[in-house]
Amino acid sequence: MGNRYEIVPSGGVTTPKGFRAGGLHCGLKKTDRHDLGAIVCEVPAAAAAVYTTNLFQAAPLQVTRESLAEEGKLRAILVNSGNANACTGRQGEDDARSMRSQIAEAIGVPKHQVAVASTGVIGELLKMDCVSSGIAALPGRLRSDDQGSEDFCQAILTTDLVKKTACVKLTIDGREVYIAGAAKGSGMIHPNMATMLGFVTTDAAIPAALLQELLRETTDVTFNMITVDGDTSTNDMLVAMASGLAGGGELSRGHADFAAFAEGLRYVCGELAKAIARDGEGATKLIETTVTGARSDEDARAIAKTIIGSSLVKSAAFGADANWGRIIAAVGRAGVPVDVNTVDIRLGDIVVLEQSRPVAFDEDAALAYLKGDTVAIRVDLHYGEGQAVAWGCDLTYDYVRINAAYRT
Amino acid sequence: MGNRYEIVPSGGVTTPKGFRAGGLHCGLKKTDRHDLGAIVCEVPAAAAAVYTTNLFQAAPLQVTRESLAEEGKLRAILVNSGNANACTGRQGEDDARSMRSQIAEAIGVPKHQVAVASTGVIGELLKMDCVSSGIAALPGRLRSDDQGSEDFCQAILTTDLVKKTACVKLTIDGREVYIAGAAKGSGMIHPNMATMLGFVTTDAAIPAALLQELLRETTDVTFNMITVDGDTSTNDMLVAMASGLAGGGELSRGHADFAAFAEGLRYVCGELAKAIARDGEGATKLIETTVTGARSDEDARAIAKTIIGSSLVKSAAFGADANWGRIIAAVGRAGVPVDVNTVDIRLGDIVVLEQSRPVAFDEDAALAYLKGDTVAIRVDLHYGEGQAVAWGCDLTYDYVRINAAYRT
């Protein structure tokens, strides 16, 4: 059976019916790049969100939680980059609330129908004069076309090099439905929904509670399976809004097209997650690690994440070095049981370890493969039925350069 | 009360009575640096060892376990660098056993009184012709003076830049007793006794079982509290030998001088652990993280290790950037409870966060402090009585350079 959704290469967060978006430069970033953006829905959209597991959660996350707790509906999401508004105490909370009130007033919606998000440096107060003037100008910049999506995607970036967006089309009750997403994230990236900012829009009709369940399930196999540096951020958040304007009936788990919707959402989140990993700070390539034959899916996830998080594996990938010893060392320290005698490892299609024994392989072919922009590490444990896929990137000089002097 | 031991700056593994050591180049390393070494005791020494927690344990660890299981005594430790003899299957086991037999025969001791250790590349078979010719020459190179210790320390290094040794003197039953140690380790360094090779000699008289208990306790607060890159090796092992030749009575937990011995051992292991962290691959400085006020010592250890393992904290240290946001983000993802409102952070003596609120500090003074060769990060949680200290190093361009092309 093929995919029950169709990829829309040119689509973005404004493609689903009912959404406008935009961005502008308000002065939080030192460059003239956009640093304030919003997505606005013309009707109250059923909404859901997942948040970082870091105990130190930034002020905007608290405010967004409060908004969603009220009735599970959103009309708008306001995002700034350049400043995380984290560890900023009472003033930071006041600032996040003020951002929410100001945008709510500017577009004429109740403030509990607004989510706010911030990303950037930790521990500095927001320049609220910049933010306020930006919010005043933002409604005039909202557009329902691709440019609106583009401007929003720009506005949420920090050290990211590329904009991250994905969109699919599917059919619910015979009607065309879109799911689209935008995300940012490049450093301080690690599993546990603590990875980035992500925004999903759809014109499907789905109750907020079901959207929340589905978002959580989807996050576990997409955003929670990427790591750039093992550092779980204080700010990360994924918010989904469903306008229902496509006109189909409301989705439930029993609906004939529910699986198509879930698959489409997973595709969108998966693409965004991979885009974040590939654009990891300083990265030159995407690493995709597939673990099969684990005792359980959970064990497979633990192993896949350990491999993808290994500085040694990441450095070897940068150097195009077929150093499988580091991969098996990572398997052995993942904290879950394996049979030490039955491990197979492949790099792409090149078998380098079979039943835990080294296999002579063509070094030139391996070098050529590892020099590509995507490296697949495949580990088969022959120990059970569990499987998982995780994504990361290589560790490079530029990662060190970027992070040795980020703040100053 | 002062220390109950005295530091012996020039001491090494041959300082305690009864020990000779040496090293030579047998051909496992591409350079002409020493790659085979041994410590030999003139009497069967009470012995103990702790091993890596990695599930994939290298062949020499299995062989050493077997030796110690027989009667808990060792006459010799044979070590090669340049090849880890890990993931080498049946042939690797045969090779490790052969190394043990050959050195046992060469020095005329039972083979179960010999430990073997290897460090270097994973997954390649040992060049046994090189090893065998080296073993044949090794007895002639053993010396009881400082040069013997020096040669041994050289022989166990891989990417290490400096030799690592420490020695203390103390008094047991009125007699002078020495404890000395040598270690290697620079990459694939992470807590859980999976950090390095370490060798401790002493001329104290202590039963093997008690030495084993004490070695485990000491390892938990020394070698298990360092990380370079979060990668737990397949080969790491710490072996201790007590000749008893100092002439004092046998130690027990109730002995009046037991505490002095335990403190001396902790100092030796602590110095070696710090030396490994400072000499981490590509490192320019030692980072010492002290966590106080945690719910328990265990929680404090988890937080200290998370901070010291953060690529972002490590990169900031390299860049002398007082980026405390990354420190508090690490505290928040360590997986143990803290009060998010009561955290103090100091860099050296510079307060940067107090009760979880940013404190204005002198950036120039912070920069000057962070440019030093040792950086102390102090986190007080005000949440309990637990405390811990962990050691690591900065993440630098050279770490990437070294690991992008280690194998090839």
Side-chain angles (χ1 to χ4, degrees), chain A residues 54 231 310 321 329 403 407, chain B residues 54 231 310 321 326 329 407:
Chain A
N54 197 303
D231 280 73
S310 161
D321 180 3
N403 286 301
R407 197 184 57 98
Chain B
N54 197 302
D231 280 73
S310 161
D321 179 4
R326 296 177 178 171
R407 197 185 55 99

Side-chain angles (χ1 to χ4, degrees), chain A residues 18-367:
Chain A
F19 294 93
R20 288 177 302 150
L24 51 75
H25 176 74
C26 77
L28 298 176
K29 283 181 182 162
K30 288 167 190 163
T31 65
D32 61 356
R33 290 170 66 195
H34 289 358
D35 51 20
L36 191 73
I39 301 174
V40 174
C41 186
E42 67 184 54
V43 296
V50 287
Y51 307 91
T52 182
T53 55
N54 197 303
L55 296 178
F56 295 90
Q57 299 203 347
L61 278 69
Q62 311 291 358
V63 173
T64 296
R65 260 184 227 279
E66 288 173 21
S67 285
L68 281 170
E70 198 115 353
E71 59 170 329
K73 290 194 185 297
L74 289 179
R75 286 291 302 274
I77 304 171
L78 177 69
V79 191
N80 76 272
S81 56
N83 183 317
N85 194 11
C87 299
T88 43
R90 172 59 59 97
Q91 184 63 50
E93 282 179 43
D94 289 350
D95 291 346
R97 275 179 219 296
S98 171
M99 283 173 69
R100 180 173 68 160
S101 302
Q102 287 181 47
I103 187 76
E105 192 168 337
I107 59 172
V109 304
K111 69 182 196 302
H112 73 266
Q113 290 184 355
V114 175
V116 287
S118 297
T119 179
V121 178
I122 295 175
E124 294 181 6
L125 292 175
L126 274 170
K127 292 180 194 161
M128 282 304 288
D129 51 340
C130 296
V131 173
S132 296
S133 64
I135 289 174
L138 202 49
R141 304 291 193 90
L142 299 172
R143 305 165 61 128
S144 58
D145 60 7
D146 291 350
Q147 187 63 45
S149 167
E150 173 98 5
D151 288 344
F152 176 78
C153 285
Q154 278 284 5
I156 63 178
L157 304 183
T158 52
T159 52
D160 307 58
L161 297 178
V162 300
K163 297 187 294 292
K164 297 161 186 76
T165 187
C167 183
V168 296
K169 182 166 73 172
L170 53 112
T171 303
I172 296 179
D173 290 339
R175 286 168 184 265
E176 225 169 48
V177 167
Y178 290 89
I179 308 173
K184 68 80 51 178
S186 186
M188 208 178 262
I189 299 289
H190 195 56
N192 279 327
M193 189 54 238
T195 1
M196 26 54 70
L197 296 178
F199 306 96
V200 171
T201 58
T202 178
D203 45 16
I206 179 169
L210 182 57
L211 185 60
Q212 180 67 46
E213 284 176 29
L214 197 57
L215 199 65
R216 162 60 57 201
E217 292 164 20
T218 304
T219 302
D220 280 344
V221 293
T222 56
F223 292 112
N224 284 354
M225 291 307 289
I226 62 175
T227 191
V228 168
D229 50 19
D231 280 73
T232 298
S233 150
T234 51
N235 279 61
D236 301 332
M237 172 160 51
L238 173 66
V239 185
M241 297 167 80
S243 71
L245 294 177
E250 194 167 64
L251 285 170
S252 64
R253 291 218 179 246
H255 192 288
D257 295 320
F258 178 77
F261 182 81
E263 281 173 25
L265 181 64
R266 182 168 168 164
Y267 173 82
V268 167
C269 290
E271 287 301 294
L272 295 175
K274 277 190 270 185
I276 290 172
R278 185 185 289 281
D279 193 27
E281 286 175 342
T284 70
K285 63 191 74 182
L286 176 72
I287 307 176
E288 178 173 280
T289 298
T290 305
V291 174
T292 53
R295 195 180 52 171
S296 65
D297 286 354
E298 197 182 353
D299 282 11
R301 280 199 286 267
I303 292 168
K305 284 185 195 177
T306 303
I307 295 169
I308 217 80
S310 161
S311 293
L312 290 169
V313 171
K314 290 157 62 72
S315 301
F318 175 51
D321 180 3
N323 199 320
W324 57 263
R326 296 176 178 172
I327 298 170
I328 201 161
V331 172
R333 68 176 169 86
V336 301
V338 300
D339 182 336
V340 298
N341 298 309
T342 61
V343 181
D344 297 346
I345 298 179
R346 280 179 299 155
L347 302 172
D349 293 325
I350 302 165
V351 179
V352 294
L353 198 77
E354 197 161 33
Q355 297 291 299
S356 299
R357 301 280 183 265
V359 173
F361 59 90
D362 181 340
E363 291 271 0
D364 291 339
L367 183 67

Side-chain angles (χ1 to χ4, degrees), chain B residues 166-233:
Chain B
C167 184
V168 296
K169 182 166 74 172
L170 52 112
T171 303
I172 297 179
D173 289 339
R175 285 169 185 267
E176 226 169 46
V177 167
Y178 290 90
I179 307 173
K184 67 81 48 178
S186 187
M188 210 179 260
I189 299 288
H190 195 57
N192 279 328
M193 190 54 238
T195 2
M196 26 53 72
L197 296 178
F199 306 96
V200 170
T201 59
T202 178
D203 44 17
I206 178 168
L210 182 56
L211 185 59
Q212 180 67 45
E213 285 176 28
L214 197 56
L215 199 64
R216 162 60 57 199
E217 293 165 18
T218 304
T219 301
D220 279 343
V221 293
T222 56
F223 293 112
N224 284 353
M225 291 306 290
I226 62 175
T227 191
V228 168
D229 50 18
D231 280 73
T232 299
S233 150

